[in-house]
């Protein structure tokens, strides 16, 4: 049995190596020319600008990211400007390897080999995003944090809170952990300690008023082309019904303008907040009804992440990494119970990569109905994943017996 397990792990690690070597080869032209791919060009600019001038995004000015996102950007910059893309790729690869290793060896990962294979497959499909967005840093951290939650909740909260200060979406996992953990006080204190450390750095640099600037930056955005609830507006633009796709050069994104896009955009923030409250209430109700805490953590995290995507005016393709992290952990813990969202996630990843980066120009420039259909199918699958998670929360509440004692520390 031990030999079989080791051989299985060797196969998984070999698959990991093949996928990452493939992307290493694909990115070689960027490495050799000292250029960057995707949003990494921005990360390099921000990091090098801060190192050379002492003026930092998130401290000296409002920023679209939380202040902690500057840490991996600066780490990649330590090698210098020309090897920046290689350093960023290696940083993502190391974190990915740690996530895969924890999927294989984590105490709670009963089906870790299957989950590791899924994570590697999703990385292979979403690679253009995984290695060119800061979500490629946060995603593996969320996988590791969720897997640590059962045995080491304090450390899990620290990892997830650090990920939240890199990109906001891991806050969904922090919230789910706060609700379901028996070590709630330790979870809270760990998150508070990480947040206090980040705040101390920002405030000491004179950036107290910019600490939460990323919140305001999101509120000023319009309905992004790829957002799930932009789908009706997208089809209005395709058939030329008073709606168009416009480039927002301030934040480098394509947005839907005209018709009901403005009204829908103004409703997104209230809908997003309301959906998070509802999911949190369902999670709490299921816990009080005696549902298994481990199952609630994975399902609750997926439901909260799903709400953050479905009811969001932003619909960037890298958001799919959020779903991938939660689903990989769900598969690791519950196996076949998560076969449906896992299958949907593979379809979501394929459709996402087809739309961006492969066919994106045909979408925003030509409003090609075929590409619009692919994006619409992707958005429908995302909504299905969210609905599946909400349904599971409702089922867990109905199937549970008497409420357990709720420990706080």
């Amino acid at each position: 049995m031990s030999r079989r397990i080791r051989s299985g792990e060797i196969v998984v690690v070999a698959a990991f190596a093949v996928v990452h070597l493939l992307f290493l080869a694909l990115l070689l032209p960027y490495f050799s020319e000292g250029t960057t791919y995707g949003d990494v060009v921005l990360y390099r600019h921000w990091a090098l600008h801060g190192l050379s001038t002492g003026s930092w995004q998130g401290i000296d000015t409002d920023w679209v990211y939380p202040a902690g996102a500057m840490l991996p950007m600066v780490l990649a910059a330590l090698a210098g400007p020309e090897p920046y893309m290689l350093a960023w790729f290696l940083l993502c690869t190391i974190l990915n390897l740690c996530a895969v290793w924890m999927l294989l060896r984590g105490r709670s990962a009963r089906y870790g080999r299957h989950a590791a294979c899924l994570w590697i497959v999703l990385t292979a499909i979403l690679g253009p995003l995984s290695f060119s967005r800061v979500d490629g840093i946060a995603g593996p951290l969320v996988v590791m944090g969720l897997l640590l939650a059962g045995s080491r909740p304090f450390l899990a909260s620290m990892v997830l809170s650090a990920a939240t200060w890199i990109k906001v979406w891991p806050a969904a996992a922090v919230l789910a952990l706060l609700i379901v953990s028996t070590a709630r006080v330790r979870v809270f204190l760990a998150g508070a300690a990480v947040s206090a450390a980040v705040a101390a750095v920002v405030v000491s640099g004179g950036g107290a008023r910019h600490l939460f600037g990323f919140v305001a930056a999101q509120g000023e955005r319009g309905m992004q082309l790829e957002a799930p609830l932009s789908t009706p507006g997208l089809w209005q633009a395709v058939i030329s019904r008073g709606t168009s796709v416009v480039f927002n050069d301030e934040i480098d994104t394509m947005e839907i303008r005209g018709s009901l896009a403005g009204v829908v955009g103004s409703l997104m923030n209230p809908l997003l907040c309301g959906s998070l409250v509802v999911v949190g209430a369902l999670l709490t109700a299921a816990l009080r009804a005696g549902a298994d805490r481990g199952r609630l953590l994975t399902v609750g995290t997926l439901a909260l992440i799903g709400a953050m995507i479905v009811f969001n005016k932003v619909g960037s393709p890298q958001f799919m990494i959020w779903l991938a992290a939660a689903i990989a952990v769900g598969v690791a813990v519950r196996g076949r119970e998560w076969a449906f969202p896992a299958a949907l996630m593979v379809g979501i990843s394929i459709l996402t990569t087809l739309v961006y980066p492969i066919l994106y120009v045909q979408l925003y420039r030509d409003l090609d109905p075929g590409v619009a259909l692919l994006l619409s199918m992707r958005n429908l699958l995302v909504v299905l994943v969210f609905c599946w998670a909400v349904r599971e929360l409702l089922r867990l509440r109905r199937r549970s017996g008497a409420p357990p004692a709720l420990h706080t520390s």
Side-chain angles (χ1 to χ4, degrees):
M1 176 67 72
S2 178
R3 284 196 297 270
R4 286 201 299 270
I5 291 174
R6 289 196 188 98
S7 65
E9 290 178 352
I10 290 172
V11 170
V12 172
V13 173
F16 175 93
V18 168
V19 168
H20 286 74
L21 285 173
L22 172 63
F23 280 102
L24 178 68
L26 292 173
L27 290 170
L28 272 178
Y30 298 94
F31 302 155
S32 61
E33 296 171 8
T35 56
T36 57
Y37 174 77
D39 284 1
V40 182
V41 64
L42 297 173
Y43 306 159
R44 181 172 68 173
H45 169 72
W46 290 328
L48 294 176
H49 179 76
L51 290 170
S52 62
T53 67
S55 178
W56 296 97
Q57 297 285 329
I59 296 179
D60 298 290
T61 183
D62 284 346
W63 197 23
V64 71
Y65 295 125
M70 188 56 69
L71 177 59
M73 297 177 190
V74 169
L75 286 176
L78 296 180
E82 291 191 356
Y84 191 91
M85 187 68 224
L86 175 60
W88 183 266
F89 172 81
L90 292 176
L91 183 58
C92 293
T93 299
I94 291 169
L95 290 174
N96 252 350
L97 181 59
C98 292
V100 167
W101 190 249
M102 286 199 63
L103 286 169
L104 291 173
R105 293 299 182 94
R107 291 182 183 179
S108 60
R110 295 174 57 198
Y111 307 92
R113 205 185 329 165
H114 301 84
C117 289
L118 175 65
W119 181 253
I120 292 169
V121 167
L122 297 178
T123 299
I125 300 170
L126 292 171
L129 300 169
S130 298
F131 300 114
S132 66
R133 299 292 194 278
V134 76
D135 303 82
I137 302 291
L141 290 175
V142 169
V143 171
M144 290 185 275
L146 287 174
L147 290 172
L148 286 167
S151 58
R152 306 185 69 179
F154 185 87
L155 180 58
S157 181
M158 291 192 71
V159 171
L160 293 171
S161 299
T164 300
W165 278 103
I166 292 174
K167 195 73 184 287
V168 176
W169 66 270
V174 176
L175 176 58
L177 183 58
L178 270 172
I179 292 174
V180 308
S181 178
T182 58
R184 196 169 294 121
V185 171
R186 280 181 284 162
V187 168
F188 175 80
L189 290 176
V194 171
S195 299
V198 174
V201 172
V202 174
V203 171
S204 65
R209 64 192 182 98
H210 301 300
L211 183 61
F212 296 103
F214 59 91
V215 177
Q218 297 299 325
E220 295 170 357
R221 303 178 75 151
M223 288 298 295
Q224 190 169 330
L225 174 62
E226 304 100 300
L229 293 185
S230 290
T231 303
L234 169 62
W235 282 103
Q236 285 182 316
V238 169
I239 61 176
S240 302
R241 291 286 182 87
T243 305
S244 59
V245 176
V246 177
F247 179 66
N248 186 333
D249 56 358
E250 292 185 4
I251 53 177
D252 191 28
T253 190
M254 308 302 301
E255 295 180 352
I256 298 288
R257 300 282 177 86
S259 190
L260 297 177
V263 176
V264 173
S266 67
L267 294 175
M268 284 299 97
N269 286 340
L271 284 174
L272 175 58
C273 294
S275 66
L276 294 176
V277 170
V278 170
V279 172
L282 291 175
L283 189 54
T284 302
L287 177 66
R288 292 186 178 277
D292 178 79
R293 294 176 186 271
R295 296 178 72 178
L296 284 177
L297 176 61
T298 52
V299 173
T301 298
L302 180 59
L304 289 166
I305 288 176
M308 293 175 73
I309 296 175
V310 172
F311 301 103
N312 199 327
K313 65 173 64 176
V314 184
S316 301
Q318 62 266 27
F319 287 13
M320 303 308 111
I321 297 173
W322 310 2
L323 293 177
I327 291 173
V329 176
V331 171
V333 175
R334 302 303 302 182
R336 291 183 180 179
E337 291 182 17
W338 281 64
F340 181 68
L344 290 180
M345 190 64 233
V346 173
I348 288 169
S349 301
I350 293 171
L351 290 170
T352 297
T353 302
L354 283 174
V355 173
Y356 184 93
I358 297 175
L359 301 172
Y360 196 57
V361 173
Q362 290 92 315
L363 177 66
Y364 73 79
R365 187 187 64 191
D366 304 329
L367 292 174
D368 185 285
V371 184
L373 180 60
L374 293 177
L375 178 58
S376 301
M377 291 170 59
R378 195 285 307 269
N379 288 341
L380 175 60
L381 294 184
V382 170
V383 173
L384 285 177
V385 168
F386 171 61
C387 291
W388 179 87
V390 171
R391 189 196 67 171
E392 287 299 300
L393 284 178
L394 293 171
R395 289 176 62 186
L396 287 171
R397 180 188 177 191
R398 288 196 299 266
R399 290 182 176 183
S400 302
L406 297 181
H407 304 290
T408 58
S409 63

